[in-house]
Amino acid sequence: MNNLCVAHRGYSGKAPENTMAAFRMAIAEPFVQWMEIDTQLTADGIPVVIHDFSLDRTTNGSGKVKDHTWQQIHRLDAGSWKSRDFLGERVPSLEEVLRLSCGRVRLNIELKTSGNMYPGLEKAVIDRVASYHMEQDVVLTSFDSGALVRVKQINPDIKTGLIIDARPKDLVERLQSLQCSFLSIGHPNLDHDLAEKLRAAGITVMGWTVDDARRMKRLADISPEILICTNRPDVWGKTFMRSNSILNDKRMM
């Protein structure tokens, strides 16, 4: 299957992002082979799946994620901001999402950190991935290069990827120095030349975040190997299903 579909924070175009509702809705689509999720640590060291460093936008709580315990965060409503239909959706733990995804989809797990914000985040995530034997079914990504270095120090076999919304001239060299085999890049930065350089270096590329058919087709024209990260898997389906055959077993890359 070309230009694999990556559901951004789950099926976040229709369900509240980074909730079990969004993940179940994404997995229900036979062509969704990847999901992108965001992970931070609670005050008591539990990896939770939420994008913002603050609770304010996507829950009925307030303040920073890192200042609340898992019990406090799990009591919050993380769904009604999107729609009353999702009243009562919770912020899930990483473990809940791994349990749901295991054997069904691969995960791009973004380590949401900066500097020393979350000591122990990388090990906490890797330990839980290992408990589900999903080391080959995940890539750990981050804007923070230090987090990627720490992942490789803990487990050199875990795939890592840099997140960037730019195209510096030394991008390939930077990825190689970090031992990254994956690049998550803002889609306007991609063109044929860069895609070819990355392909030649053995780096898997994901373009984000693409919600309309025209931009999806532009990425497909650049290379069939570019993963397309989208809030709208339904748009991906309408754009590509005529030229792709559905893989009932969700064949992995």
Side-chain angles (χ1 to χ4, degrees), residues 119-132:
L121 172 64
E122 298 82 15
K123 187 175 188 306
V125 170
I126 290 170
D127 285 350
R128 282 158 180 80
V129 168
S131 73
Y132 285 89

Side-chain angles (χ1 to χ4, degrees), residues 2-4 190-192 194-196 199 203 205 216-228 240:
N2 294 338
N3 300 112
L4 297 182
L190 284 168
D191 61 20
H192 289 278
L194 180 57
E196 179 54 31
R199 186 202 63 76
I203 294 164
V205 180
M216 289 181 184
K217 289 174 181 175
R218 186 189 83 85
L219 291 182
D221 287 342
I222 292 172
S223 170
E225 296 180 6
I226 295 172
L227 282 66
I228 294 178
F240 293 109

Side-chain angles (χ1 to χ4, degrees), residues 23-117:
F23 299 139
R24 291 190 188 99
M25 197 176 291
I27 289 173
E29 296 289 356
F31 50 79
V32 171
Q33 296 197 13
W34 283 83
M35 293 194 303
E36 186 271 350
I37 68 174
D38 305 283
T39 307
Q40 302 180 54
L41 282 185
T42 62
D44 48 346
I46 304 299
V48 290
V49 178
I50 185 171
H51 178 270
D52 296 5
F53 292 131
S54 165
L55 297 165
D56 296 60
R57 181 176 64 88
T58 59
T59 79
N60 63 341
S62 63
K64 294 179 179 179
V65 173
K66 70 184 186 70
D67 293 336
H68 293 73
T69 65
W70 163 237
Q71 189 175 32
Q72 290 171 325
I73 288 176
H74 197 56
R75 285 201 296 260
L76 299 175
D77 182 327
S80 58
W81 66 272
K82 182 79 170 181
S83 164
R84 290 184 61 83
D85 294 339
F86 297 104
L87 177 69
E89 278 295 318
R90 307 297 178 190
V91 174
S93 67
L94 176 61
E95 187 154 355
E96 289 176 275
V97 182
L98 290 168
R99 188 183 308 127
L100 176 70
S101 304
C102 187
R104 303 172 79 181
V105 290
R106 298 184 102 174
L107 293 177
N108 174 344
I109 303 174
E110 178 177 348
L111 303 172
K112 297 292 295 188
T113 186
S114 179
N116 296 318
M117 177 181 288

